[in-house]
Structures are given as structure tokens and as C-alpha cells.
Amino acid sequence: MAMSESDVKAWTEEFLDAMSAPVDWGRLKNLMSKRCTVEMPNEPKCKKFEDYEKKYAEFLGWFKGAKRSMPKGSNIMIVPAKKDELDVIVPELCKFNWTKELGEQYPNVNMASGEKAKIMIYNRFKLNGKKEATWYSPFFFHGDFKNQDRAEDDDTFAHKFYQAWNAGAHADMMGDEVKAELPVAGKMNKEQMLQVYATFKECTRSTVPGLSPVLVPTGKDEVSEGVMPAVYKFKWAASLNDLFKVEIAEDADVELRSFDMLTVKAGKLIGFQAFFDPAACIKPIKKSGAA
């Protein structure tokens, strides 16, 4: 049987607490399958969790005094997968003191040892019915390390693309072909994807409060991969009920929260996967004064 939402929340709290400094590997191992595959950005995958511990224990120790928590107002994204498995994304804000060792690891980051630092991370998991992770991938970009007092960037490709989408000018920022995938509806091409989103009437798109997009260069062919924490507010079209297997009235005002997974090549969107559970993430907006 798959984990319940409350199970996932409790598991997440335990994970973030165990990952905070000093890292408690004993508690972490209780949360992970022995054969949990771990993938760090642009690094060879670790096929067992103990391999991850051996390779990265010292690195995680460099995050001095690290406090790891979900940003206020953010939510865990839980999407049912095969059998009793869940695909989960947990946004994390990690606050810590910068160290000399991190400075040597990331010489392009302009921070002094002891400076109060932060980084936004999207922790991606596959969780099984035994309340264990079988896959774990923390998604972050070393170029996003910054002083805790510094505001998050608001001019990334993701910001610009969604602003252009609001203005109806997004086509210029898309490749000739886009590999797209939507929950329930499945895989589709660029035209099919745009057709679906065209039925989001009077749609405005924004970033989930407290979160920021993360884009990670892959180092190959000018390709970056990213996560955009998106909020869509629009009037519902009844035709979407069949697509997403939900029951919502025509013209109802709704809010949809999605972690959109983006692939960008040479400044053009070439891959788009909307990551959300329609049954849990599409919610009517209550009008002020309404019952």
C-alpha cells in the first residue's frame, strides 16, 4: 500500500532533520532502501545509499551549521506512480555558514568563509510502500549559492518564459519541437501541449510564493534542466475533466500548482513535464465573501 499524505509529511520532516548538521546517517539509513540510487547533479549515480554516504559525507559536513527546512508556504508535491510507489518533490531552503572547503570546491562562488549562506534545493524521491526511498536526487545549482540577505534572482529563463507565456509571446522562446508530458494525459508534442494550455481560460502564471526556479547546466550542447514551481490561476473548461480525470464545473475559478520540469537548449524550451497530481493540485478559488 502506498504511503499516505501524512506519512510522506512525517517522512519528509525526518529526512530534513536528519540531513541538517550534523548529518545523522543512522536516521537517514532508516529512511532509505539499501539499494536506493542517488543522483547528484552532473555526477555519476551512486547505486546504493552506503555508496552515497562514503562519497559525500565529507562534502555535506562542509555545510557548517546547516538548517534544512521547507520554505514557508511551499508544499510537497506527491504524484502516484507504479503499484505502491509515489514520485515526490520536496522543496528545501538550506541555510548554513560558508566554509573554506566549499570555497575550494566552488571557486566561482564569491563568498567568504563564515558568511551566512543559503541554497534552494528540490529533493526528488521515489518512495515505496515500506516507507523507504528507492531513488533520491537533490536538484540544485552551485551558481545559486548566495548570502542569506540577498534576494532570489527573478530574471532566469524560467521567469522570462512564464512572463512571456502570460503575454502570449512564449512561442518565440520554444524550440521547433518540444517533448512534453502532462499528468494522466501522458506524452505529447508541442502543438498538443499548447492546445491543452490554451483551454486554461484567462490564465495567469506566477512562481509559488517563497520558492524560486532552479536551472542546472548539463555541460552538454548548451542544454540546461530545471524546475519551475508554477502557480496557474484560470477559469476551468469542462473539456479538461476528461483529460485530467477530475470533476470541476465549467468556468470555475481554479488554482493549479505544478513543479514544471524544463529542458532548455540555447535559450529555447525543448522539454516540458508538468509534475502534479490533478486530483490534489487543482483547487477551486473561493471568492472573498463566498461561503
Side-chain angles (χ1 to χ4, degrees), residues 261-275:
M261 318 297 285
L262 313 177
T263 305
V264 181
K265 181 174 183 178
K268 300 274 188 180
L269 184 78
I270 62 166
F272 181 94
Q273 180 189 359
F275 187 85

Side-chain angles (χ1 to χ4, degrees), residues 179-243:
K179 289 184 178 178
E181 186 172 354
L182 271 67
V184 184
K187 294 180 179 178
M188 53 186 69
N189 60 29
K190 174 182 172 181
E191 288 71 25
Q192 291 166 326
M193 167 199 160
L194 291 176
Q195 201 171 354
V196 170
Y197 282 101
T199 59
F200 287 25
K201 294 181 282 187
E202 299 174 29
C203 185
T204 58
R205 301 158 189 85
S206 58
T207 309
V208 174
L211 298 184
S212 55
V214 171
L215 285 167
V216 181
T218 63
K220 297 175 185 175
D221 302 326
E222 291 185 81
V223 172
S224 295
E225 294 177 340
V227 178
M228 170 64 180
V231 182
Y232 298 79
K233 293 183 179 179
F234 59 99
K235 287 188 180 297
W236 188 255
S239 61
L240 292 168
N241 286 329
D242 286 339
L243 187 74

Side-chain angles (χ1 to χ4, degrees), residues 38 40-41 43 51 54 60 89 97 122 133 143 157 160 165-166 200 218 225 232 236 250 286:
V38 182
M40 294 283 278
E43 293 286 340
D51 296 339
K54 287 174 188 172
L60 291 172
I89 297 180
N97 292 325
Y122 290 93
F157 173 89
K160 291 174 181 175
W165 205 352
N166 282 340
F200 287 25
T218 63
E225 294 177 340
Y232 298 79
W236 188 255
E250 177 79 23
K286 287 187 178 178

